Amino acid sequence: MYKTKAYSAASNTSPLASTTIQRREPTDRDVQIEILFCGICHSDLHAVRNEWSGVMPTVYPIVPGHEIVGRVTKVGSAVKKFKPGDLAAVGCMVDSDGTCPQCKDGFEQFCPNMILTYNSPDKHLGGVTYGGYSDSIVVDEHFALRVPPNLNLAGAAPLCCAGVTTYSPMRHWGAGPGKKVGVVGLGGLGHMAVKFAHAFGAHVAVFTTSPSKKEDALRLGADEVILSRDANEMQKHNNSFDFILDAVSAEHDINAYLNLLGRDGALTLVGLPSKPLGVAAFNLIMGRRSLSGSAIGGIAETQEMLDFCGKHNITADVEVIPIQKVNEAYARLLKSDVKYRFSIDMASLKSE
Ligand SMILES: [Zn+2]
Ligand SMILES: [Zn+2]
């Protein structure tokens, strides 16, 4: 074991503060990564405040962070994918059983024994796993991803969660040339969805409640912007969409969007509203429409997404902050006051 610097929260009401944690020495299959940037995902905030206590109660202290980019410093003797000096990324998962049907099909994110990057049982050291608000991390090479060297690293970090969360469902539902794709909610997830849908060659429409977002949506790659509060404008698009990605976590009416889907159109949820959503069955039956959800992506698909980003030079739009501003960033995140993701420059942790 070795010690590494980190930021942790001691309780659901404590701010994140400087601390020291233990990491394991790399085993034969492990890579040790010096973390350069870590994105701030809304899930980090939920976990720190124990807001998902019913599903996954937080064990304190918690070190959040699952949008990790860094440089490999050490590899185990059996590691094939990496050598010291390589760039590497880690997303939401650090382990799974590797033997169940989900793992065999490349869907590690649905493995019943999947281990999250933070707040999951740590089979090596006991206790729980610690995430990316830290100097370094040690992971099985299968869960470390290669990072195209042309990408801006601060902007590449959020690809590991926000990127693959939006890439995966759009690939699954065939967003591409000749397809009309809608994105609901222009935040950390939504802005990545717009970039991907545009790069896939689809016609992209962004739904927003605020006219002020129009210019930015167009800059990100949208072909049109639809004001969702304007019933007349919405009605013009009835039965016309092939796919809509809904990235809104606040309560909202999804029937308004189901109505816009054409025959066999699909609406996929990637946001997590805390209350159940009402669905009018009529809106699904007419047009044989689908309503579905999606969660991140498997490791192979996450690598495919990073390679795609390398080829098309896609990264998240980030505001880079030092770790010392992380509590301020959480407060701003609650007000959606960020375009569109915070990325922590981990060099700032060295001065703690
Ligand atoms: Zn996340
Ligand atoms: Zn499995």
Side-chain angles (χ1 to χ4, degrees), residues 268-289:
T268 295
L269 306 172
V270 289
L272 282 168
S274 53
K275 286 186 191 152
L277 298 168
V279 177
F282 196 80
N283 290 335
L284 289 176
I285 287 167
M286 293 313 290
R288 197 166 59 180
R289 295 157 175 154

Side-chain angles (χ1 to χ4, degrees), residues 162-219:
V164 72
T165 297
T166 51
Y167 178 94
S168 179
M170 282 196 286
R171 275 296 196 220
H172 179 72
W173 291 99
K179 296 290 169 73
K180 185 171 171 184
V181 170
V183 176
V184 189
L186 194 62
L189 292 173
H191 96 288
M192 287 309 310
V194 173
K195 290 186 184 203
F196 284 132
H198 176 72
F200 294 158
H203 177 92
V204 191
V206 168
F207 297 96
T208 179
T209 51
S210 46
S212 61
K213 286 195 174 170
K214 182 167 180 178
E215 210 174 301
D216 228 21
L218 297 174
R219 177 185 63 80

Side-chain angles (χ1 to χ4, degrees), residues 20-287:
T20 304
I21 56 167
Q22 307 267 7
R23 298 285 193 194
R24 66 180 182 267
E25 282 297 332
T27 67
D28 288 356
R29 292 167 46 86
D30 284 339
V31 293
Q32 184 186 53
I33 299 164
E34 179 197 6
I35 301 173
L36 300 175
F37 291 95
C38 185
I40 297 180
C41 176
H42 215 111
S43 308
D44 298 351
L45 193 154
H46 288 300
V48 162
R49 305 206 170 156
N50 201 14
E51 285 166 357
W52 289 336
S53 56
V55 196
M56 41 175 101
T58 302
V59 177
Y60 294 96
I62 177 174
V63 177
H66 60 205
E67 296 183 338
I68 299 166
V69 165
R71 202 168 283 284
V72 175
T73 47
K74 219 187 219 184
V75 299
S77 56
V79 168
K80 295 194 181 79
K81 240 160 75 177
F82 296 94
K83 57 182 193 312
D86 286 349
L87 292 171
V90 179
C92 302
M93 314 178 269
V94 290
D95 208 354
S96 70
D97 57 31
T99 55
C100 76
Q102 303 292 351
C103 286
K104 283 189 171 154
D105 289 346
F107 293 99
E108 295 91 342
Q109 76 270 35
F110 302 132
C111 171
N113 299 306
M114 186 263 284
I115 301 293
L116 292 165
T117 304
Y118 59 83
N119 198 43
S120 264
D122 185 332
K123 71 177 181 194
H124 297 270
L125 298 180
V128 292
T129 50
Y130 292 136
Y133 297 9
S134 167
D135 258 348
S136 74
I137 192 164
V138 177
V139 294
D140 184 303
E141 72 163 330
H142 180 70
F143 291 87
L145 303 143
R146 291 181 305 275
V147 180
N150 59 309
L151 293 181
N152 170 279
L153 294 183
L159 297 175
C160 303
C161 176
V164 72
T165 297
T166 51
Y167 178 94
S168 179
M170 282 196 286
R171 275 296 196 220
H172 179 72
W173 291 99
K179 296 290 169 73
K180 185 171 171 184
V181 170
V183 176
V184 189
L186 194 62
L189 292 173
H191 96 288
M192 287 309 310
V194 173
K195 290 186 184 203
F196 284 132
H198 176 72
F200 294 158
H203 177 92
V204 191
V206 168
F207 297 96
T208 179
T209 51
S210 46
S212 61
K213 286 195 174 170
K214 182 167 180 178
E215 210 174 301
D216 228 21
L218 297 174
R219 177 185 63 80
L220 292 164
D223 296 290
E224 59 182 319
V225 178
I226 301 166
L227 291 174
S228 53
R229 282 183 183 150
D230 184 336
N232 283 334
E233 208 184 321
M234 290 286 274
Q235 207 182 350
K236 283 186 210 153
H237 295 272
N238 272 353
N239 304 306
S240 71
F241 278 87
D242 296 287
F243 178 69
I244 297 177
L245 190 79
D246 184 341
V248 175
S249 288
E251 260 182 89
H252 61 295
D253 176 21
I254 60 168
N255 295 295
Y257 298 103
L258 289 172
N259 262 327
L260 305 189
L261 294 171
R263 175 169 52 81
D264 290 323
L267 184 146
T268 295
L269 306 172
V270 289
L272 282 168
S274 53
K275 286 186 191 152
L277 298 168
V279 177
F282 196 80
N283 290 335
L284 289 176
I285 287 167
M286 293 313 290

